[in-house]
Amino acid sequence: MSAPQGEIVLKIDNINTYYGHIHALKGISLDVRQGEIVTLIGTNGAGKSTTLRTISGVVRPRTGKVTFKGKDITGMKSHEIQAMGMSHVPEGRRIFPQLTVMENLDMGAWNVKESKEIEKRKQRVFELFPRMKERIFQKGGTLSGGEQQMLAIGRALMVDPDILLLDEPSMGLAPVLVEVIFDIILQLNKQGTTILLVEQNALMALEVASRGYVLQTGEITLSDSAQNLANNDSVRKAYLGEE
Amino acid sequence: MNAPGVITEPQPVKISALMQFRQSWFYRFILFPLGQILLFILGATVVLTIAVYLIAYILPPPNSRVFVPDAIGRQLASWIINGVSIGFLYAMIALGYTMVYGVLKFINFAHAEIFMVGGIVGYEVTMRLNEAGILADMNPALMVTFMVLTAMLISGTLAVIVERVAYRPLRRAPRLVPLITAIGLSFILQDVVRATMQITRAQFDLVYPTKNIAVYTTPIRFTIGENPVSVRPTFVLIIIAAIIMLVALNYFVNGTKWGRAIRAVSQDQTMSGLLGVNVNQLIALTFFIGGALGGAAGALFGLNTGSVNAYMGVTPGLKAFIAAVLGGIGNLTGALLGGLTIGLIESYLNGFLFFYDSIGLGFRWTDVFVFLVLILMLLFRPSGILGEKVDEKV
Ligand SMILES: Nc1ncnc2c1ncn2[C@@H]1O[C@H](COP(=O)(O)OP(=O)(O)OP(=O)(O)O)[C@@H](O)[C@H]1O
Ligand SMILES: [Mg+2]
């Protein structure tokens, strides 16, 4: 793996985020360059989701700075950040349970004006997940867990952002579909989407990513190319399930 | 966590003709809502009619001159029309409570005053037209449309302002805090309006210029079989206006991008924000729509009653709130059905109790019995007619 290239699109600088008294992120810095897939790995409760939430404006850091496309976005509302071309697919699907599959997809295209474009993106989602097409009038809340995850990914595809923050996109999916999801991630990346990926499945994540950060109780303990991380003993022990 | 195990095997996509029809524009936005309203009214009137006949036969006759079951038969048509129109008014107010509850999980008790302001605005519009000398000759449909639209605009705007200055700063406060603020706001709005009207009109009860609105209030009389029926034109107006607004609201909420976003925001604000929806803007829009419906109801209510005052919102507001709870708070259809239920029960009781006036059970007892029935209904279905869960409610 060569040194990272490309322009830095996303940069976070010495972020400290709290939930009440809980100090969830303790001075984290990382950057993502144009066209990269960067992964963030770490044990449960390490602060991976909090990092993504801080970037996308769901929570505010107490100190530190988030820069996106050269603009300081610290403290901006999440819909404003979204409009700048960032899409965050949070952990746990977050399907709108009372909206139909179709309406959930339409919500993904909230900022897309041309109906032709919306239609095109929908067709792409249906190609990837034929199951969704059969269920367009079904309420999101009545889908099975795996179907909801497909819908969540489908809805993210409707956004078609410049940078995609994915929080455990393979959670709860059958192995075949995990492959599909990772294929989609690679495909999106080839088409120019920069991706910041949080995954429990560290092995797969390091396979698709070019670089990675290891997060431990709110601090970044390691950062290296994906290849080096995958070969790192402590990483193998802690995250790749090698005893 | 749900178990994995969803494997996509390509299957032919088949959508039945019935399903296709049920997704059609005509079905979703015309046939279904109207059919639902009609069926519900039909069902409710059948149940209530059977109930009053039964009670009439069971109760001892109030006096020897009236045979109550016969008297009921003569008045039934009027009761139904009356009940449906007042029910629609309650429904329009109830929708405001339920929509706001949907997005914020909070009861906007000041909504009764938004309704009242609609009533006052409707009165002011009528008076200004009267003072300009054009009220008597004005096309009634035009005049009502103008009056209702003005009331909607002002009440809707007021609701948005109330949200902005009084509720939004308290979004993260404990639940009881905005609730208390809402109650306080009610008092403030009542007194501000009362003071303003005392100063400008020097009256507490603001009476409509009866002579020039006779066309709206003089009953239309006709007969069904041998029974004379009299219908106030305002009832007809209320029913028409309500149906137009309910159909429009249903279309807006279920058929447009903005309505879809309101529903999304009411289900998951964070996720809506992440998809680019400006949540605060959508909440303001919800307040505007709820307020506008309340304002329209207020204007029609005032025209129907023939007088308005700063406290006119209290009782209808309370009943509409109960209608929203009865229907399952947060559920739009529920609010509509809850409103119709209360309106019909009230109208039947009004007429029925009148027969027993001589034994001390006149229609001043109506509200007592209305609330009694409601308490009973909620005892059996605490989450309301269409409600799902009872937890996390006020
Ligand atoms: N809303 C919250 N309120 C209080 N504490 C929270 C909240 N959300 C997260 N935390 C705490 O912050 C820390 C980091 O949580 P976070 O969700 O970011 O972990 P994570 O790395 O995504 O874990 P997982 O792999 O289990 O998803 C944890 O200790 C967690 O308990
Ligand atoms: Mg997480």
Side-chain angles (χ1 to χ4, degrees):
Chain A
M1 216 4 72
S2 54
Q5 292 169 350
E7 217 174 301
I8 294 179
V9 271
L10 176 69
K11 188 173 172 57
I12 68 177
D13 243 336
N14 204 13
I15 288 287
N16 282 282
T17 302
Y18 290 75
Y19 294 106
H21 296 297
I22 299 171
H23 194 174
L25 300 184
K26 301 164 187 158
I28 284 189
S29 303
L30 60 78
D31 53 66
V32 180
R33 286 161 194 274
Q34 176 68 45
E36 273 190 313
I37 299 182
V38 172
T39 184
L40 201 56
I41 54 181
T43 47
N44 293 121
K48 305 180 297 290
S49 301
T50 305
T51 306
L52 297 195
R53 280 187 214 128
T54 307
I55 295 170
S56 67
V58 176
V59 293
R60 280 180 192 205
R62 193 168 292 176
T63 59
K65 190 169 151 192
V66 184
T67 317
F68 179 43
K69 290 181 174 173
K71 188 178 171 201
D72 182 359
I73 58 163
T74 327
M76 267 170 62
K77 294 260 173 62
S78 48
H79 74 267
E80 295 164 340
I81 298 173
Q82 198 268 1
M84 286 176 64
M86 180 189 293
S87 176
H88 173 187
V89 182
E91 150 179 65
R93 304 177 188 123
R94 304 292 279 266
I95 291 304
F96 298 110
Q98 300 298 322
L99 299 191
T100 63
V101 167
M102 192 67 117
E103 288 175 325
N104 267 285
L105 290 178
D106 280 326
M107 283 310 298
W110 175 255
N111 274 333
V112 186
K113 299 283 174 287
E114 315 80 39
S115 53
K116 255 206 195 121
E117 181 59 32
I118 296 177
E119 205 42 49
K120 209 176 84 192
R121 291 184 194 180
K122 261 184 209 162
Q123 288 317 317
R124 183 165 75 154
V125 173
F126 294 146
E127 268 163 38
L128 291 166
F129 306 111
R131 204 163 254 270
M132 289 300 103
K133 186 162 186 176
E134 299 161 27
R135 285 171 167 64
I136 46 175
F137 300 134
Q138 193 173 326
K139 292 261 162 76
T142 65
L143 296 175
S144 81
E147 288 168 342
Q148 289 189 10
Q149 187 70 42
M150 290 182 224
L151 181 54
I153 304 282
R155 186 175 60 187
L157 294 180
M158 298 295 292
V159 184
D160 201 10
D162 300 332
I163 185 165
L164 188 57
L165 315 184
L166 286 171
D167 200 341
E168 309 203 11
S170 74
M171 190 165 46
L173 289 180
V176 191
L177 274 169
V178 174
E179 296 277 351
V180 173
I181 299 290
F182 276 92
D183 274 352
I184 294 173
I185 292 172
L186 279 172
Q187 203 182 315
L188 282 174
N189 182 246
K190 274 214 193 76
Q191 289 163 6
T193 312
T194 307
I195 290 167
L196 179 55
L197 173 67
V198 166
E199 255 297 336
Q200 287 290 332
N201 195 336
L203 189 64
M204 292 280 271
L206 290 171
E207 232 169 74
V208 297
S210 52
R211 291 190 298 127
Y213 292 86
V214 177
L215 202 57
Q216 221 166 16
T217 54
E219 286 171 291
I220 288 179
T221 52
L222 264 178
S223 91
D224 210 333
S225 72
Q227 213 171 14
N228 288 349
L229 284 178
N231 293 326
N232 181 302
D233 280 345
S234 59
V235 172
R236 295 185 77 86
K237 239 192 205 124
Y239 309 111
L240 303 180
E242 285 184 8
E243 296 300 319
Chain B
M1 213 76 340
N2 288 41
V6 191
I7 292 168
T8 39
E9 347 157 308
Q11 278 168 6
V13 178
K14 37 180 189 295
I15 294 165
S16 69
L18 179 69
M19 190 127 166
Q20 206 110 67
F21 176 66
R22 291 184 53 172
Q23 293 302 329
S24 68
W25 192 91
F26 176 74
Y27 177 84
R28 287 175 64 204
F29 303 124
I30 307 286
L31 194 65
F32 182 75
L34 290 183
Q36 194 178 36
I37 293 173
L38 204 69
L39 279 181
F40 186 81
I41 291 173
L42 213 67
T45 50
V46 167
V47 171
L48 283 171
T49 306
I50 293 171
V52 286
Y53 271 114
L54 277 180
I55 298 170
Y57 278 110
I58 292 166
L59 283 184
N63 56 51
S64 52
R65 279 170 289 118
V66 196
F67 181 55
V68 174
D70 283 352
I72 292 175
R74 283 196 294 278
Q75 299 194 3
L76 209 50
S78 309
W79 293 3
I80 294 172
I81 295 172
N82 188 346
V84 168
S85 62
I86 198 82
F88 271 136
L89 283 183
Y90 291 152
M92 283 162 68
I93 311 167
L95 281 164
Y97 283 108
T98 230
M99 286 183 77
V100 164
Y101 184 87
V103 290
L104 288 185
K105 304 290 174 273
F106 134 85
I107 304 290
N108 176 15
F109 275 116
H111 188 57
E113 273 50 63
I114 303 289
F115 161 86
M116 173 273 287
V117 167
I120 301 282
V121 169
Y123 167 83
E124 269 299 319
V125 168
T126 315
M127 287 303 282
R128 298 275 157 102
L129 291 173
N130 193 39
E131 282 151 15
I134 50 177
L135 179 64
D137 307 319
M138 219 170 150
N139 176 328
L142 187 71
M143 133 74 188
V144 170
T145 309
F146 179 63
M147 169 181 122
V148 167
L149 285 180
T150 314
M152 286 174 85
L153 190 69
I154 292 177
S155 286
T157 309
L158 180 64
V160 171
I161 294 171
V162 163
E163 191 272 331
R164 185 70 193 82
V165 303
Y167 301 152
R168 195 178 298 178
L170 299 172
R171 202 71 68 68
R172 280 169 210 285
R175 261 161 199 244
L176 276 177
V177 176
L179 207 66
I180 292 164
T181 308
I183 294 170
L185 254 168
S186 269
F187 290 129
I188 294 174
L189 287 171
Q190 284 169 357
D191 285 333
V192 166
V193 170
R194 184 189 47 81
T196 314
M197 297 320 279
Q198 291 274 15
I199 293 164
T200 57
R201 298 261 175 216
Q203 273 177 337
F204 177 81
D205 269 313
L206 304 157
V207 183
Y208 267 88
T210 323
K211 202 171 75 210
N212 290 338
I213 60 158
V215 56
Y216 307 100
T217 52
T218 316
I220 307 162
R221 291 173 204 285
F222 56 96
T223 56
I224 296 180
E226 287 162 20
N227 303 320
V229 182
S230 84
V231 178
R232 281 171 77 94
T234 44
F235 287 164
V236 182
L237 280 176
I238 289 169
I239 293 175
I240 294 171
I243 287 179
I244 293 172
M245 278 183 240
L246 293 172
V247 168
L249 180 73
N250 178 56
Y251 173 71
F252 178 78
V253 170
N254 293 314
T256 68
K257 183 177 165 155
W258 289 91
R260 189 201 306 132
I262 287 181
R263 285 179 292 139
V265 166
S266 74
Q267 290 166 46
D268 191 336
Q269 285 192 15
T270 306
M271 193 62 228
S272 304
L274 287 178
L275 291 170
V277 176
N278 183 344
V279 172
N280 279 336
Q281 189 184 23
L282 268 288
I283 289 173
L285 178 65
T286 308
F287 269 83
F288 182 84
I289 296 169
L293 286 170
L300 292 166
F301 187 91
L303 181 66
N304 184 47
T305 320
S307 83
V308 294
N309 68 50
Y311 302 92
M312 68 183 271
V314 178
T315 309
L318 183 61
K319 286 184 184 160
F321 166 57
I322 294 168
V325 174
L326 187 67
I329 188 119
N331 184 314
L332 298 192
T333 314
L336 166 61
L337 303 187
L340 284 170
T341 307
I342 296 186
L344 281 165
I345 291 177
E346 184 180 310
S347 165
Y348 269 69
L349 277 169
N350 255 333
F352 183 70
L353 290 174
F354 185 74
F355 301 134
Y356 295 89
D357 201 28
S358 53
I359 59 165
L361 269 183
F363 55 77
R364 59 192 162 284
W365 283 82
T366 300
D367 281 356
V368 175
F369 284 100
V370 169
F371 286 114
L372 193 70
V373 172
L374 295 175
I375 289 168
L376 287 176
M377 288 174 87
L378 285 174
L379 275 179
F380 287 105
R381 267 203 78 97
S383 51
I385 306 175
L386 299 176
E388 278 138 37
K389 45 182 192 252
V390 217
D391 50 52
E392 63 156 26
K393 300 229 166 114
V394 179

